[in-house]
Amino acid sequence: MSDWADVSDVTADEVSETFEAARDELMLDPYRDGQVVRLQENAELWVTGDLHDQRTNFSKLLATADLGDNPRRHLLLHELIHGSYFDPNGAEDSWKMLYRAAELKCDFPEQVHFILANHDLAQIFGEGIMKAGLSVCEAYTKGIKNHFGETGGALVESVMTEFFLALPLAVSTPGGTFVCHSLPQDEQIDDFDYTVFKRERLKKPDYQRRTGPAYQLIWGRNMSPATTEKFAENVGANVIITGHQPQDSGFMVNGDKHLIIASDHAQGVLLPIDCGEKYEMADLVSKITRFVAIDPETFGK
């Protein structure tokens, strides 16, 4: 897999081939059931929150996970793009992190998993998200075109879109842990269409702004504990883990069923869990580990 320096020299054709292969692996994942990746009881899952091009934490994650020597270990990644590294012209290059993650999926297709996030969807449809007074979607596109040029950049954006559209919505474990990017808001929960998780492929109405179930799932904020309990009951989960909502301390407990984590800053966290274990919230929180405290030589060994 490429390091950051190698990525700087990659061509549009190389990137396209990698994303096409990674997209195929997403669809062929033996654990995938519709829009849910259902892991086995003996698996170990390392859950991240939003990463947003946080390169220090991402590099530490890859070095520590050591997937080749730990075949039971699985990684769950989401919200990798749209970071804070803007050049003087307002471009950013978080595509490099996404590319490295796609390479990782190709190298370890049954151990690396992704879920769809709202910034992925925003990049596809050009929905405005602002950071530091700049449109992150425009900055991302500018960064791609700066590297690959107009023609190559258009090709890369096209294959990235296909990759995003192949992403599942959730990962679940036999122990009752359900991980998705976010949850529907309070006013949406009673009418939420749970059949979206059973679809082999999502269609345009599923992504529709405000009304589509995929959109509602990945864009919802500030849901009450009562809403999270309804959602958990409908998906057969004991606990729900999400990202999406920024957490300065790295995580937040939202009632008995919902844990929100973030991985995109110095206090960002990683959550390693055993897929066969049924967790109560206190047990889940006890397993939270801050990236800053992780020693790649000893953690997970």
Tab-separated table of all heavy atoms in Angstrom, residues 229-250:
chain	number	residue	atom	x	y	z
A	229	GLU	N	-33.519	4.592	20.927
A	229	GLU	CA	-34.087	3.324	21.402
A	229	GLU	C	-35.052	2.743	20.377
A	229	GLU	O	-35.069	1.522	20.159
A	229	GLU	CB	-34.781	3.538	22.742
A	229	GLU	CG	-33.802	3.802	23.885
A	229	GLU	CD	-34.494	3.965	25.223
A	229	GLU	OE1	-35.718	3.723	25.287
A	229	GLU	OE2	-33.811	4.325	26.194
A	230	LYS	N	-35.847	3.588	19.729
A	230	LYS	CA	-36.744	3.109	18.671
A	230	LYS	C	-35.945	2.520	17.517
A	230	LYS	O	-36.285	1.460	16.976
A	230	LYS	CB	-37.623	4.255	18.157
A	230	LYS	CG	-38.736	4.674	19.087
A	230	LYS	CD	-39.571	5.786	18.447
A	230	LYS	CE	-40.683	6.240	19.376
A	230	LYS	NZ	-41.486	7.339	18.762
A	231	PHE	N	-34.898	3.226	17.132
A	231	PHE	CA	-34.071	2.750	16.031
A	231	PHE	C	-33.426	1.412	16.383
A	231	PHE	O	-33.438	0.465	15.581
A	231	PHE	CB	-32.995	3.787	15.688
A	231	PHE	CG	-32.174	3.437	14.486
A	231	PHE	CD1	-32.559	3.850	13.225
A	231	PHE	CD2	-31.002	2.694	14.618
A	231	PHE	CE1	-31.806	3.523	12.110
A	231	PHE	CE2	-30.240	2.363	13.504
A	231	PHE	CZ	-30.640	2.780	12.252
A	232	ALA	N	-32.860	1.315	17.580
A	232	ALA	CA	-32.203	0.086	18.015
A	232	ALA	C	-33.172	-1.093	17.998
A	232	ALA	O	-32.831	-2.198	17.553
A	232	ALA	CB	-31.605	0.268	19.400
A	233	GLU	N	-34.374	-0.871	18.455
A	233	GLU	CA	-35.377	-1.932	18.468
A	233	GLU	C	-35.698	-2.400	17.053
A	233	GLU	O	-35.815	-3.603	16.790
A	233	GLU	CB	-36.650	-1.445	19.162
A	233	GLU	CG	-37.752	-2.496	19.240
A	233	GLU	CD	-38.988	-2.005	19.954
A	233	GLU	OE1	-38.980	-0.851	20.450
A	233	GLU	OE2	-39.967	-2.761	20.022
A	234	ASN	N	-35.806	-1.468	16.121
A	234	ASN	CA	-36.182	-1.814	14.753
A	234	ASN	C	-35.072	-2.517	13.981
A	234	ASN	O	-35.354	-3.268	13.043
A	234	ASN	CB	-36.633	-0.561	14.000
A	234	ASN	CG	-38.094	-0.223	14.256
A	234	ASN	OD1	-38.991	-0.805	13.668
A	234	ASN	ND2	-38.319	0.728	15.148
A	235	VAL	N	-33.818	-2.282	14.349
A	235	VAL	CA	-32.725	-2.970	13.655
A	235	VAL	C	-32.195	-4.144	14.471
A	235	VAL	O	-31.227	-4.790	14.068
A	235	VAL	CB	-31.571	-1.995	13.301
A	235	VAL	CG1	-32.063	-0.918	12.352
A	235	VAL	CG2	-30.929	-1.398	14.552
A	236	GLY	N	-32.824	-4.428	15.602
A	236	GLY	CA	-32.424	-5.563	16.422
A	236	GLY	C	-31.090	-5.392	17.096
A	236	GLY	O	-30.329	-6.354	17.249
A	237	ALA	N	-30.794	-4.165	17.535
A	237	ALA	CA	-29.493	-3.871	18.132
A	237	ALA	C	-29.601	-3.646	19.635
A	237	ALA	O	-30.621	-3.166	20.136
A	237	ALA	CB	-28.878	-2.636	17.474
A	238	ASN	N	-28.528	-3.968	20.319
A	238	ASN	CA	-28.437	-3.663	21.737
A	238	ASN	C	-27.851	-2.277	21.958
A	238	ASN	O	-28.290	-1.544	22.849
A	238	ASN	CB	-27.570	-4.707	22.446
A	238	ASN	CG	-27.593	-4.551	23.952
A	238	ASN	OD1	-28.662	-4.580	24.560
A	238	ASN	ND2	-26.433	-4.380	24.560
A	239	VAL	N	-26.838	-1.916	21.145
A	239	VAL	CA	-26.231	-0.584	21.210
A	239	VAL	C	-25.953	-0.101	19.789
A	239	VAL	O	-25.705	-0.891	18.882
A	239	VAL	CB	-24.928	-0.561	22.028
A	239	VAL	CG1	-25.207	-0.711	23.510
A	239	VAL	CG2	-23.964	-1.634	21.544
A	240	ILE	N	-25.989	1.220	19.619
A	240	ILE	CA	-25.715	1.873	18.336
A	240	ILE	C	-24.462	2.736	18.488
A	240	ILE	O	-24.336	3.501	19.458
A	240	ILE	CB	-26.884	2.781	17.906
A	240	ILE	CG1	-28.220	2.033	17.944
A	240	ILE	CG2	-26.620	3.390	16.536
A	240	ILE	CD1	-28.395	1.003	16.885
A	241	ILE	N	-23.561	2.639	17.518
A	241	ILE	CA	-22.382	3.511	17.478
A	241	ILE	C	-22.454	4.336	16.207
A	241	ILE	O	-22.660	3.797	15.120
A	241	ILE	CB	-21.075	2.704	17.489
A	241	ILE	CG1	-21.008	1.774	18.692
A	241	ILE	CG2	-19.864	3.650	17.501
A	241	ILE	CD1	-19.849	0.787	18.619
A	242	THR	N	-22.296	5.645	16.336
A	242	THR	CA	-22.288	6.536	15.176
A	242	THR	C	-21.140	7.531	15.282
A	242	THR	O	-20.467	7.633	16.310
A	242	THR	CB	-23.606	7.326	15.041
A	242	THR	OG1	-23.700	8.265	16.119
A	242	THR	CG2	-24.823	6.412	15.059
A	243	GLY	N	-20.959	8.280	14.209
A	243	GLY	CA	-20.065	9.425	14.194
A	243	GLY	C	-20.898	10.662	13.905
A	243	GLY	O	-21.900	10.910	14.541
A	244	HIS	N	-20.438	11.454	12.928
A	244	HIS	CA	-21.182	12.575	12.341
A	244	HIS	C	-21.267	13.817	13.218
A	244	HIS	O	-20.998	14.923	12.748
A	244	HIS	CB	-22.589	12.137	11.937
A	244	HIS	CG	-23.383	13.196	11.217
A	244	HIS	ND1	-22.892	13.862	10.115
A	244	HIS	CD2	-24.629	13.693	11.436
A	244	HIS	CE1	-23.802	14.726	9.688
A	244	HIS	NE2	-24.858	14.637	10.470
A	245	GLN	N	-21.635	13.673	14.469
A	245	GLN	CA	-21.777	14.840	15.336
A	245	GLN	C	-20.442	15.106	16.040
A	245	GLN	O	-19.958	14.259	16.792
A	245	GLN	CB	-22.884	14.608	16.366
A	245	GLN	CG	-24.238	14.363	15.727
A	245	GLN	CD	-25.354	14.205	16.744
A	245	GLN	OE1	-25.835	15.186	17.314
A	245	GLN	NE2	-25.785	12.975	16.980
A	246	PRO	N	-19.823	16.277	15.800
A	246	PRO	CA	-18.498	16.555	16.354
A	246	PRO	C	-18.461	16.407	17.874
A	246	PRO	O	-19.407	16.801	18.576
A	246	PRO	CB	-18.247	18.012	15.944
A	246	PRO	CG	-19.097	18.209	14.729
A	246	PRO	CD	-20.333	17.392	14.973
A	247	GLN	N	-17.356	15.838	18.370
A	247	GLN	CA	-17.172	15.618	19.797
A	247	GLN	C	-15.781	16.079	20.198
A	247	GLN	O	-14.792	15.429	19.887
A	247	GLN	CB	-17.366	14.133	20.143
A	247	GLN	CG	-18.695	13.546	19.730
A	247	GLN	CD	-19.870	14.237	20.388
A	247	GLN	OE1	-19.788	14.673	21.546
A	247	GLN	NE2	-20.968	14.362	19.659
A	248	ASP	N	-15.708	17.223	20.888
A	248	ASP	CA	-14.407	17.765	21.276
A	248	ASP	C	-13.647	16.822	22.198
A	248	ASP	O	-12.415	16.777	22.178
A	248	ASP	CB	-14.587	19.115	21.971
A	248	ASP	CG	-15.038	20.205	21.013
A	248	ASP	OD1	-14.887	20.022	19.790
A	248	ASP	OD2	-15.555	21.245	21.490
A	249	SER	N	-14.371	16.063	23.013
A	249	SER	CA	-13.723	15.143	23.948
A	249	SER	C	-13.505	13.757	23.342
A	249	SER	O	-12.985	12.861	23.997
A	249	SER	CB	-14.557	15.010	25.224
A	249	SER	OG	-15.819	14.428	24.944
A	250	GLY	N	-13.956	13.568	22.102
A	250	GLY	CA	-13.766	12.300	21.433
A	250	GLY	C	-14.978	11.397	21.415
A	250	GLY	O	-15.106	10.547	20.532
